[in-house]
Amino acid sequence: MSKKQPTRGESLAKAIISEYKPKTVEDMQNALKDVFGPMFEAMLNGEMENHLGYDNNERGEKETTNRRNGYNHKTLKTSAGEVPIDVPRDREGSFEPQVVPKRQTDVSSMEGKVLAMYARGMSQRDISSTIDDIYGFKLSAGQISNITDCVLDELNEWQNRPLKAFYPFIFVDCIYVSMRTEQGVSDQAVYVILGYDLNGGKDVLGLWMGDTESKHRWMQIFDEIKSRGVQDIGFISMDGVSGLEDGAKAIFKNVVVQRCMVHLIRNSLKYVPSKDYKAFTAQLRKIYGAINLKGAQVEFERFCDVWTKYPGAIRVWKDNFRHVEQLFNYGSDVRRVMYTTNAIESVNSSFRKVTKQGAFSNETAVFKVFYLRIKELYQKWHGHSIRNWAIVMNQLVIDERIGTMVRKYQVSI
């Protein structure tokens, strides 16, 4: 059996170990720093020779006025720490290095790492400390802010991008964040809309701010998304903001506004002692989970008879029972999509992971970190459609109202 030949990587590793005799990870990082510098310099000198058209040995044989003109000192930030190098320069100043372009000092993809940490809710202090621990150099709060500010143009473009003409389902909700103001720290509402398109893809349509959640702000937001291209919406799933249903229909006249069953459960549980939670919610599931409308109505009558001792809880469901009844105008798979805002609450749960760093300084700081989080969600959602989406679409097209919209906009895509 022939002896395995060492790879170039193994040979290089043995040479480094033989030369430096590292005992710790830090020793190995220092060894790599010593290697990185000469490697970068050799590559830069090769680029200079190619730029001039001759190497040092041919200097007198080439007819050109351009010559080497010494070096510029530069300190690079690498994955092994800071590495000093000498960058060759030419007399005419026409040399444009490619391996380490002019003005670039970070070759460790540090910007991407900082953005990833920021998107996960790490504070500037924590990011700086982590970079120092892992890579051996410090980033100031100002440098981290500059790095994260690089997404602002992209964020602004995303906030104002054209939207699709039709969304079969959208989900609306607010999440509250702490913000520092002249009067102190206060909670501000961040309005979020999640849309499902005709292909079953998810998209966060935008982010908006307000002092509190109100129907007037929601109407402004609906008007904005209409100006960005949304012509029709099939269903809006929402919690119980007073007046929101009328406001939505004033802008999208064909929309069906659906109260979230989970929010109704939470609202009614305020009137129920904890010892009865399990039995109470189990009976509610028989109502909105019934096979048909008749079954739901029978279960609702039974529910009202059983829980007469909690009139406040019963009143919540009586006031909103039409939202239960309208569920049964559609197939079971459509009902499973529209009856709850869990889809957008999942998005907001992702946002809450990045709001633990404390109060935000301004609206831009909020949008910046939320947008970075949304980009991560897009990567997670890419290539995945809603479960049983084909069945959902089949159930939608047989409805006279929404089927007309589906066929209209399917033709246009």
Side-chain angles (χ1 to χ4, degrees), residues 195-218:
Y196 289 178
D197 64 24
L198 278 168
N199 297 315
K202 296 181 181 180
D203 188 16
V204 178
L205 305 191
L207 300 169
W208 300 265
M209 293 282 294
D211 293 334
T212 59
E213 185 176 12
S214 71
K215 74 165 186 177
H216 300 292
R217 185 69 177 115
W218 273 120

mmCIF file with all atom_site columns, all heavy atoms in Angstrom, residues 195-218:
data_model
loop_
_atom_site.group_PDB
_atom_site.id
_atom_site.type_symbol
_atom_site.label_atom_id
_atom_site.label_alt_id
_atom_site.label_comp_id
_atom_site.label_asym_id
_atom_site.label_entity_id
_atom_site.label_seq_id
_atom_site.pdbx_PDB_ins_code
_atom_site.Cartn_x
_atom_site.Cartn_y
_atom_site.Cartn_z
_atom_site.occupancy
_atom_site.B_iso_or_equiv
_atom_site.pdbx_formal_charge
_atom_site.auth_seq_id
_atom_site.auth_comp_id
_atom_site.auth_asym_id
_atom_site.auth_atom_id
_atom_site.pdbx_PDB_model_num
ATOM 1   N N   . GLY A 1 195 ? -47.490 39.877 4.412  1.00 0.00 ? 195 GLY A N   1
ATOM 2   C CA  . GLY A 1 195 ? -48.371 39.487 3.313  1.00 0.00 ? 195 GLY A CA  1
ATOM 3   C C   . GLY A 1 195 ? -48.023 38.124 2.760  1.00 0.00 ? 195 GLY A C   1
ATOM 4   O O   . GLY A 1 195 ? -46.864 37.721 2.750  1.00 0.00 ? 195 GLY A O   1
ATOM 5   N N   . TYR A 1 196 ? -49.067 37.390 2.307  1.00 0.00 ? 196 TYR A N   1
ATOM 6   C CA  . TYR A 1 196 ? -48.888 36.159 1.535  1.00 0.00 ? 196 TYR A CA  1
ATOM 7   C C   . TYR A 1 196 ? -49.263 36.486 0.099  1.00 0.00 ? 196 TYR A C   1
ATOM 8   O O   . TYR A 1 196 ? -50.366 36.994 -0.165 1.00 0.00 ? 196 TYR A O   1
ATOM 9   C CB  . TYR A 1 196 ? -49.821 35.052 2.023  1.00 0.00 ? 196 TYR A CB  1
ATOM 10  C CG  . TYR A 1 196 ? -49.494 34.447 3.368  1.00 0.00 ? 196 TYR A CG  1
ATOM 11  C CD1 . TYR A 1 196 ? -50.323 33.462 3.917  1.00 0.00 ? 196 TYR A CD1 1
ATOM 12  C CD2 . TYR A 1 196 ? -48.381 34.845 4.104  1.00 0.00 ? 196 TYR A CD2 1
ATOM 13  C CE1 . TYR A 1 196 ? -50.044 32.894 5.147  1.00 0.00 ? 196 TYR A CE1 1
ATOM 14  C CE2 . TYR A 1 196 ? -48.097 34.281 5.342  1.00 0.00 ? 196 TYR A CE2 1
ATOM 15  C CZ  . TYR A 1 196 ? -48.936 33.309 5.864  1.00 0.00 ? 196 TYR A CZ  1
ATOM 16  O OH  . TYR A 1 196 ? -48.664 32.751 7.085  1.00 0.00 ? 196 TYR A OH  1
ATOM 17  N N   . ASP A 1 197 ? -48.365 36.202 -0.844 1.00 0.00 ? 197 ASP A N   1
ATOM 18  C CA  . ASP A 1 197 ? -48.680 36.486 -2.242 1.00 0.00 ? 197 ASP A CA  1
ATOM 19  C C   . ASP A 1 197 ? -49.346 35.277 -2.898 1.00 0.00 ? 197 ASP A C   1
ATOM 20  O O   . ASP A 1 197 ? -49.605 34.248 -2.265 1.00 0.00 ? 197 ASP A O   1
ATOM 21  C CB  . ASP A 1 197 ? -47.434 36.936 -3.008 1.00 0.00 ? 197 ASP A CB  1
ATOM 22  C CG  . ASP A 1 197 ? -46.359 35.856 -3.090 1.00 0.00 ? 197 ASP A CG  1
ATOM 23  O OD1 . ASP A 1 197 ? -46.697 34.650 -2.988 1.00 0.00 ? 197 ASP A OD1 1
ATOM 24  O OD2 . ASP A 1 197 ? -45.172 36.208 -3.263 1.00 0.00 ? 197 ASP A OD2 1
ATOM 25  N N   . LEU A 1 198 ? -49.630 35.397 -4.196 1.00 0.00 ? 198 LEU A N   1
ATOM 26  C CA  . LEU A 1 198 ? -50.355 34.343 -4.905 1.00 0.00 ? 198 LEU A CA  1
ATOM 27  C C   . LEU A 1 198 ? -49.591 33.028 -4.976 1.00 0.00 ? 198 LEU A C   1
ATOM 28  O O   . LEU A 1 198 ? -50.181 31.974 -5.192 1.00 0.00 ? 198 LEU A O   1
ATOM 29  C CB  . LEU A 1 198 ? -50.696 34.813 -6.322 1.00 0.00 ? 198 LEU A CB  1
ATOM 30  C CG  . LEU A 1 198 ? -51.945 35.697 -6.458 1.00 0.00 ? 198 LEU A CG  1
ATOM 31  C CD1 . LEU A 1 198 ? -52.009 36.323 -7.839 1.00 0.00 ? 198 LEU A CD1 1
ATOM 32  C CD2 . LEU A 1 198 ? -53.205 34.901 -6.165 1.00 0.00 ? 198 LEU A CD2 1
ATOM 33  N N   . ASN A 1 199 ? -48.284 33.074 -4.808 1.00 0.00 ? 199 ASN A N   1
ATOM 34  C CA  . ASN A 1 199 ? -47.467 31.862 -4.833 1.00 0.00 ? 199 ASN A CA  1
ATOM 35  C C   . ASN A 1 199 ? -47.259 31.258 -3.447 1.00 0.00 ? 199 ASN A C   1
ATOM 36  O O   . ASN A 1 199 ? -46.513 30.291 -3.299 1.00 0.00 ? 199 ASN A O   1
ATOM 37  C CB  . ASN A 1 199 ? -46.109 32.160 -5.475 1.00 0.00 ? 199 ASN A CB  1
ATOM 38  C CG  . ASN A 1 199 ? -46.236 32.588 -6.916 1.00 0.00 ? 199 ASN A CG  1
ATOM 39  O OD1 . ASN A 1 199 ? -46.977 31.982 -7.693 1.00 0.00 ? 199 ASN A OD1 1
ATOM 40  N ND2 . ASN A 1 199 ? -45.526 33.640 -7.295 1.00 0.00 ? 199 ASN A ND2 1
ATOM 41  N N   . GLY A 1 200 ? -47.887 31.864 -2.439 1.00 0.00 ? 200 GLY A N   1
ATOM 42  C CA  . GLY A 1 200 ? -47.709 31.369 -1.078 1.00 0.00 ? 200 GLY A CA  1
ATOM 43  C C   . GLY A 1 200 ? -46.421 31.841 -0.439 1.00 0.00 ? 200 GLY A C   1
ATOM 44  O O   . GLY A 1 200 ? -45.995 31.310 0.585  1.00 0.00 ? 200 GLY A O   1
ATOM 45  N N   . GLY A 1 201 ? -45.790 32.854 -1.027 1.00 0.00 ? 201 GLY A N   1
ATOM 46  C CA  . GLY A 1 201 ? -44.575 33.418 -0.449 1.00 0.00 ? 201 GLY A CA  1
ATOM 47  C C   . GLY A 1 201 ? -44.893 34.478 0.589  1.00 0.00 ? 201 GLY A C   1
ATOM 48  O O   . GLY A 1 201 ? -45.921 35.158 0.501  1.00 0.00 ? 201 GLY A O   1
ATOM 49  N N   . LYS A 1 202 ? -44.004 34.612 1.573  1.00 0.00 ? 202 LYS A N   1
ATOM 50  C CA  . LYS A 1 202 ? -44.191 35.603 2.635  1.00 0.00 ? 202 LYS A CA  1
ATOM 51  C C   . LYS A 1 202 ? -43.360 36.846 2.342  1.00 0.00 ? 202 LYS A C   1
ATOM 52  O O   . LYS A 1 202 ? -42.252 36.759 1.824  1.00 0.00 ? 202 LYS A O   1
ATOM 53  C CB  . LYS A 1 202 ? -43.750 35.034 3.987  1.00 0.00 ? 202 LYS A CB  1
ATOM 54  C CG  . LYS A 1 202 ? -44.549 33.853 4.483  1.00 0.00 ? 202 LYS A CG  1
ATOM 55  C CD  . LYS A 1 202 ? -44.015 33.397 5.843  1.00 0.00 ? 202 LYS A CD  1
ATOM 56  C CE  . LYS A 1 202 ? -44.755 32.198 6.379  1.00 0.00 ? 202 LYS A CE  1
ATOM 57  N NZ  . LYS A 1 202 ? -44.231 31.769 7.706  1.00 0.00 ? 202 LYS A NZ  1
ATOM 58  N N   . ASP A 1 203 ? -43.901 37.996 2.715  1.00 0.00 ? 203 ASP A N   1
ATOM 59  C CA  . ASP A 1 203 ? -43.161 39.252 2.570  1.00 0.00 ? 203 ASP A CA  1
ATOM 60  C C   . ASP A 1 203 ? -43.632 40.232 3.641  1.00 0.00 ? 203 ASP A C   1
ATOM 61  O O   . ASP A 1 203 ? -44.843 40.390 3.856  1.00 0.00 ? 203 ASP A O   1
ATOM 62  C CB  . ASP A 1 203 ? -43.392 39.860 1.186  1.00 0.00 ? 203 ASP A CB  1
ATOM 63  C CG  . ASP A 1 203 ? -42.493 41.061 0.906  1.00 0.00 ? 203 ASP A CG  1
ATOM 64  O OD1 . ASP A 1 203 ? -41.496 41.243 1.641  1.00 0.00 ? 203 ASP A OD1 1
ATOM 65  O OD2 . ASP A 1 203 ? -42.792 41.809 -0.038 1.00 0.00 ? 203 ASP A OD2 1
ATOM 66  N N   . VAL A 1 204 ? -42.679 40.852 4.318  1.00 0.00 ? 204 VAL A N   1
ATOM 67  C CA  . VAL A 1 204 ? -43.006 41.952 5.228  1.00 0.00 ? 204 VAL A CA  1
ATOM 68  C C   . VAL A 1 204 ? -43.149 43.200 4.366  1.00 0.00 ? 204 VAL A C   1
ATOM 69  O O   . VAL A 1 204 ? -42.188 43.644 3.742  1.00 0.00 ? 204 VAL A O   1
ATOM 70  C CB  . VAL A 1 204 ? -41.914 42.139 6.301  1.00 0.00 ? 204 VAL A CB  1
ATOM 71  C CG1 . VAL A 1 204 ? -42.264 43.319 7.209  1.00 0.00 ? 204 VAL A CG1 1
ATOM 72  C CG2 . VAL A 1 204 ? -41.753 40.867 7.143  1.00 0.00 ? 204 VAL A CG2 1
ATOM 73  N N   . LEU A 1 205 ? -44.358 43.750 4.319  1.00 0.00 ? 205 LEU A N   1
ATOM 74  C CA  . LEU A 1 205 ? -44.632 44.849 3.388  1.00 0.00 ? 205 LEU A CA  1
ATOM 75  C C   . LEU A 1 205 ? -44.041 46.170 3.859  1.00 0.00 ? 205 LEU A C   1
ATOM 76  O O   . LEU A 1 205 ? -43.843 47.080 3.048  1.00 0.00 ? 205 LEU A O   1
ATOM 77  C CB  . LEU A 1 205 ? -46.138 45.006 3.175  1.00 0.00 ? 205 LEU A CB  1
ATOM 78  C CG  . LEU A 1 205 ? -46.904 43.751 2.720  1.00 0.00 ? 205 LEU A CG  1
ATOM 79  C CD1 . LEU A 1 205 ? -48.316 44.138 2.300  1.00 0.00 ? 205 LEU A CD1 1
ATOM 80  C CD2 . LEU A 1 205 ? -46.180 43.023 1.616  1.00 0.00 ? 205 LEU A CD2 1
ATOM 81  N N   . GLY A 1 206 ? -43.770 46.293 5.152  1.00 0.00 ? 206 GLY A N   1
ATOM 82  C CA  . GLY A 1 206 ? -43.173 47.536 5.624  1.00 0.00 ? 206 GLY A CA  1
ATOM 83  C C   . GLY A 1 206 ? -43.190 47.633 7.135  1.00 0.00 ? 206 GLY A C   1
ATOM 84  O O   . GLY A 1 206 ? -43.755 46.788 7.840  1.00 0.00 ? 206 GLY A O   1
ATOM 85  N N   . LEU A 1 207 ? -42.547 48.695 7.624  1.00 0.00 ? 207 LEU A N   1
ATOM 86  C CA  . LEU A 1 207 ? -42.500 49.030 9.045  1.00 0.00 ? 207 LEU A CA  1
ATOM 87  C C   . LEU A 1 207 ? -42.875 50.504 9.187  1.00 0.00 ? 207 LEU A C   1
ATOM 88  O O   . LEU A 1 207 ? -42.424 51.338 8.400  1.00 0.00 ? 207 LEU A O   1
ATOM 89  C CB  . LEU A 1 207 ? -41.095 48.809 9.621  1.00 0.00 ? 207 LEU A CB  1
ATOM 90  C CG  . LEU A 1 207 ? -40.506 47.398 9.550  1.00 0.00 ? 207 LEU A CG  1
ATOM 91  C CD1 . LEU A 1 207 ? -39.022 47.438 9.916  1.00 0.00 ? 207 LEU A CD1 1
ATOM 92  C CD2 . LEU A 1 207 ? -41.258 46.453 10.487 1.00 0.00 ? 207 LEU A CD2 1
ATOM 93  N N   . TRP A 1 208 ? -43.683 50.806 10.188 1.00 0.00 ? 208 TRP A N   1
ATOM 94  C CA  . TRP A 1 208 ? -44.090 52.175 10.436 1.00 0.00 ? 208 TRP A CA  1
ATOM 95  C C   . TRP A 1 208 ? -44.082 52.432 11.940 1.00 0.00 ? 208 TRP A C   1
ATOM 96  O O   . TRP A 1 208 ? -44.233 51.503 12.734 1.00 0.00 ? 208 TRP A O   1
ATOM 97  C CB  . TRP A 1 208 ? -45.489 52.435 9.883  1.00 0.00 ? 208 TRP A CB  1
ATOM 98  C CG  . TRP A 1 208 ? -45.610 52.229 8.400  1.00 0.00 ? 208 TRP A CG  1
ATOM 99  C CD1 . TRP A 1 208 ? -45.512 53.175 7.422  1.00 0.00 ? 208 TRP A CD1 1
ATOM 100 C CD2 . TRP A 1 208 ? -45.859 50.996 7.712  1.00 0.00 ? 208 TRP A CD2 1
ATOM 101 N NE1 . TRP A 1 208 ? -45.687 52.624 6.180  1.00 0.00 ? 208 TRP A NE1 1
ATOM 102 C CE2 . TRP A 1 208 ? -45.895 51.277 6.325  1.00 0.00 ? 208 TRP A CE2 1
ATOM 103 C CE3 . TRP A 1 208 ? -46.056 49.680 8.128  1.00 0.00 ? 208 TRP A CE3 1
ATOM 104 C CZ2 . TRP A 1 208 ? -46.115 50.301 5.356  1.00 0.00 ? 208 TRP A CZ2 1
ATOM 105 C CZ3 . TRP A 1 208 ? -46.271 48.695 7.170  1.00 0.00 ? 208 TRP A CZ3 1
ATOM 106 C CH2 . TRP A 1 208 ? -46.303 49.008 5.806  1.00 0.00 ? 208 TRP A CH2 1
ATOM 107 N N   . MET A 1 209 ? -43.933 53.699 12.334 1.00 0.00 ? 209 MET A N   1
ATOM 108 C CA  . MET A 1 209 ? -43.893 54.051 13.755 1.00 0.00 ? 209 MET A CA  1
ATOM 109 C C   . MET A 1 209 ? -45.068 54.942 14.120 1.00 0.00 ? 209 MET A C   1
ATOM 110 O O   . MET A 1 209 ? -45.602 55.690 13.291 1.00 0.00 ? 209 MET A O   1
ATOM 111 C CB  . MET A 1 209 ? -42.592 54.788 14.084 1.00 0.00 ? 209 MET A CB  1
ATOM 112 C CG  . MET A 1 209 ? -41.332 53.952 13.965 1.00 0.00 ? 209 MET A CG  1
ATOM 113 S SD  . MET A 1 209 ? -41.039 52.847 15.349 1.00 0.00 ? 209 MET A SD  1
ATOM 114 C CE  . MET A 1 209 ? -40.732 53.993 16.682 1.00 0.00 ? 209 MET A CE  1
ATOM 115 N N   . GLY A 1 210 ? -45.443 54.879 15.393 1.00 0.00 ? 210 GLY A N   1
ATOM 116 C CA  . GLY A 1 210 ? -46.471 55.752 15.935 1.00 0.00 ? 210 GLY A CA  1
ATOM 117 C C   . GLY A 1 210 ? -46.405 55.747 17.450 1.00 0.00 ? 210 GLY A C   1
ATOM 118 O O   . GLY A 1 210 ? -45.807 54.854 18.047 1.00 0.00 ? 210 GLY A O   1
ATOM 119 N N   . ASP A 1 211 ? -47.012 56.761 18.065 1.00 0.00 ? 211 ASP A N   1
ATOM 120 C CA  . ASP A 1 211 ? -46.996 56.810 19.528 1.00 0.00 ? 211 ASP A CA  1
ATOM 121 C C   . ASP A 1 211 ? -47.766 55.635 20.127 1.00 0.00 ? 211 ASP A C   1
ATOM 122 O O   . ASP A 1 211 ? -47.349 55.027 21.107 1.00 0.00 ? 211 ASP A O   1
ATOM 123 C CB  . ASP A 1 211 ? -47.592 58.131 20.023 1.00 0.00 ? 211 ASP A CB  1
ATOM 124 C CG  . ASP A 1 211 ? -46.725 59.328 19.652 1.00 0.00 ? 211 ASP A CG  1
ATOM 125 O OD1 . ASP A 1 211 ? -45.507 59.126 19.487 1.00 0.00 ? 211 ASP A OD1 1
ATOM 126 O OD2 . ASP A 1 211 ? -47.262 60.436 19.514 1.00 0.00 ? 211 ASP A OD2 1
ATOM 127 N N   . THR A 1 212 ? -48.929 55.336 19.553 1.00 0.00 ? 212 THR A N   1
ATOM 128 C CA  . THR A 1 212 ? -49.758 54.219 19.989 1.00 0.00 ? 212 THR A CA  1
ATOM 129 C C   . THR A 1 212 ? -50.417 53.606 18.760 1.00 0.00 ? 212 THR A C   1
ATOM 130 O O   . THR A 1 212 ? -50.391 54.194 17.672 1.00 0.00 ? 212 THR A O   1
ATOM 131 C CB  . THR A 1 212 ? -50.865 54.659 20.969 1.00 0.00 ? 212 THR A CB  1
ATOM 132 O OG1 . THR A 1 212 ? -51.686 55.649 20.318 1.00 0.00 ? 212 THR A OG1 1
ATOM 133 C CG2 . THR A 1 212 ? -50.269 55.244 22.246 1.00 0.00 ? 212 THR A CG2 1
ATOM 134 N N   . GLU A 1 213 ? -51.027 52.434 18.932 1.00 0.00 ? 213 GLU A N   1
ATOM 135 C CA  . GLU A 1 213 ? -51.754 51.813 17.836 1.00 0.00 ? 213 GLU A CA  1
ATOM 136 C C   . GLU A 1 213 ? -53.131 52.464 17.715 1.00 0.00 ? 213 GLU A C   1
ATOM 137 O O   . GLU A 1 213 ? -53.856 52.583 18.700 1.00 0.00 ? 213 GLU A O   1
ATOM 138 C CB  . GLU A 1 213 ? -51.905 50.315 18.071 1.00 0.00 ? 213 GLU A CB  1
ATOM 139 C CG  . GLU A 1 213 ? -52.547 49.587 16.895 1.00 0.00 ? 213 GLU A CG  1
ATOM 140 C CD  . GLU A 1 213 ? -52.605 48.079 17.100 1.00 0.00 ? 213 GLU A CD  1
ATOM 141 O OE1 . GLU A 1 213 ? -52.351 47.624 18.241 1.00 0.00 ? 213 GLU A OE1 1
ATOM 142 O OE2 . GLU A 1 213 ? -52.921 47.369 16.124 1.00 0.00 ? 213 GLU A OE2 1
ATOM 143 N N   . SER A 1 214 ? -53.487 52.895 16.521 1.00 0.00 ? 214 SER A N   1
ATOM 144 C CA  . SER A 1 214 ? -54.784 53.544 16.310 1.00 0.00 ? 214 SER A CA  1
ATOM 145 C C   . SER A 1 214 ? -55.291 53.258 14.905 1.00 0.00 ? 214 SER A C   1
ATOM 146 O O   . SER A 1 214 ? -54.518 52.980 13.990 1.00 0.00 ? 214 SER A O   1
ATOM 147 C CB  . SER A 1 214 ? -54.661 55.060 16.500 1.00 0.00 ? 214 SER A CB  1
ATOM 148 O OG  . SER A 1 214 ? -53.934 55.644 15.431 1.00 0.00 ? 214 SER A OG  1
ATOM 149 N N   . LYS A 1 215 ? -56.612 53.341 14.748 1.00 0.00 ? 215 LYS A N   1
ATOM 150 C CA  . LYS A 1 215 ? -57.203 53.079 13.434 1.00 0.00 ? 215 LYS A CA  1
ATOM 151 C C   . LYS A 1 215 ? -56.776 54.142 12.419 1.00 0.00 ? 215 LYS A C   1
ATOM 152 O O   . LYS A 1 215 ? -56.632 53.866 11.235 1.00 0.00 ? 215 LYS A O   1
ATOM 153 C CB  . LYS A 1 215 ? -58.724 53.014 13.528 1.00 0.00 ? 215 LYS A CB  1
ATOM 154 C CG  . LYS A 1 215 ? -59.415 54.349 13.709 1.00 0.00 ? 215 LYS A CG  1
ATOM 155 C CD  . LYS A 1 215 ? -60.906 54.240 13.434 1.00 0.00 ? 215 LYS A CD  1
ATOM 156 C CE  . LYS A 1 215 ? -61.558 55.617 13.466 1.00 0.00 ? 215 LYS A CE  1
ATOM 157 N NZ  . LYS A 1 215 ? -62.987 55.568 13.135 1.00 0.00 ? 215 LYS A NZ  1
ATOM 158 N N   . HIS A 1 216 ? -56.567 55.382 12.881 1.00 0.00 ? 216 HIS A N   1
ATOM 159 C CA  . HIS A 1 216 ? -56.180 56.455 11.959 1.00 0.00 ? 216 HIS A CA  1
ATOM 160 C C   . HIS A 1 216 ? -54.791 56.195 11.372 1.00 0.00 ? 216 HIS A C   1
ATOM 161 O O   . HIS A 1 216 ? -54.573 56.397 10.177 1.00 0.00 ? 216 HIS A O   1
ATOM 162 C CB  . HIS A 1 216 ? -56.229 57.803 12.683 1.00 0.00 ? 216 HIS A CB  1
ATOM 163 C CG  . HIS A 1 216 ? -57.569 58.156 13.227 1.00 0.00 ? 216 HIS A CG  1
ATOM 164 N ND1 . HIS A 1 216 ? -58.642 58.452 12.408 1.00 0.00 ? 216 HIS A ND1 1
ATOM 165 C CD2 . HIS A 1 216 ? -58.041 58.257 14.507 1.00 0.00 ? 216 HIS A CD2 1
ATOM 166 C CE1 . HIS A 1 216 ? -59.702 58.716 13.152 1.00 0.00 ? 216 HIS A CE1 1
ATOM 167 N NE2 . HIS A 1 216 ? -59.366 58.604 14.428 1.00 0.00 ? 216 HIS A NE2 1
ATOM 168 N N   . ARG A 1 217 ? -53.876 55.719 12.209 1.00 0.00 ? 217 ARG A N   1
ATOM 169 C CA  . ARG A 1 217 ? -52.534 55.404 11.701 1.00 0.00 ? 217 ARG A CA  1
ATOM 170 C C   . ARG A 1 217 ? -52.599 54.217 10.755 1.00 0.00 ? 217 ARG A C   1
ATOM 171 O O   . ARG A 1 217 ? -51.932 54.204 9.720  1.00 0.00 ? 217 ARG A O   1
ATOM 172 C CB  . ARG A 1 217 ? -51.592 55.117 12.864 1.00 0.00 ? 217 ARG A CB  1
ATOM 173 C CG  . ARG A 1 217 ? -50.132 54.907 12.424 1.00 0.00 ? 217 ARG A CG  1
ATOM 174 C CD  . ARG A 1 217 ? -49.531 56.198 11.914 1.00 0.00 ? 217 ARG A CD  1
ATOM 175 N NE  . ARG A 1 217 ? -48.125 56.042 11.562 1.00 0.00 ? 217 ARG A NE  1
ATOM 176 C CZ  . ARG A 1 217 ? -47.648 56.156 10.330 1.00 0.00 ? 217 ARG A CZ  1
ATOM 177 N NH1 . ARG A 1 217 ? -48.476 56.439 9.322  1.00 0.00 ? 217 ARG A NH1 1
ATOM 178 N NH2 . ARG A 1 217 ? -46.360 56.015 10.088 1.00 0.00 ? 217 ARG A NH2 1
ATOM 179 N N   . TRP A 1 218 ? -53.420 53.220 11.088 1.00 0.00 ? 218 TRP A N   1
ATOM 180 C CA  . TRP A 1 218 ? -53.555 52.077 10.202 1.00 0.00 ? 218 TRP A CA  1
ATOM 181 C C   . TRP A 1 218 ? -54.133 52.501 8.851  1.00 0.00 ? 218 TRP A C   1
ATOM 182 O O   . TRP A 1 218 ? -53.699 52.018 7.794  1.00 0.00 ? 218 TRP A O   1
ATOM 183 C CB  . TRP A 1 218 ? -54.447 51.011 10.828 1.00 0.00 ? 218 TRP A CB  1
ATOM 184 C CG  . TRP A 1 218 ? -53.727 50.039 11.720 1.00 0.00 ? 218 TRP A CG  1
ATOM 185 C CD1 . TRP A 1 218 ? -53.952 49.815 13.049 1.00 0.00 ? 218 TRP A CD1 1
ATOM 186 C CD2 . TRP A 1 218 ? -52.666 49.159 11.352 1.00 0.00 ? 218 TRP A CD2 1
ATOM 187 N NE1 . TRP A 1 218 ? -53.090 48.859 13.521 1.00 0.00 ? 218 TRP A NE1 1
ATOM 188 C CE2 . TRP A 1 218 ? -52.292 48.434 12.506 1.00 0.00 ? 218 TRP A CE2 1
ATOM 189 C CE3 . TRP A 1 218 ? -51.980 48.912 10.161 1.00 0.00 ? 218 TRP A CE3 1
ATOM 190 C CZ2 . TRP A 1 218 ? -51.277 47.477 12.500 1.00 0.00 ? 218 TRP A CZ2 1
ATOM 191 C CZ3 . TRP A 1 218 ? -50.965 47.969 10.146 1.00 0.00 ? 218 TRP A CZ3 1
ATOM 192 C CH2 . TRP A 1 218 ? -50.622 47.256 11.298 1.00 0.00 ? 218 TRP A CH2 1
#
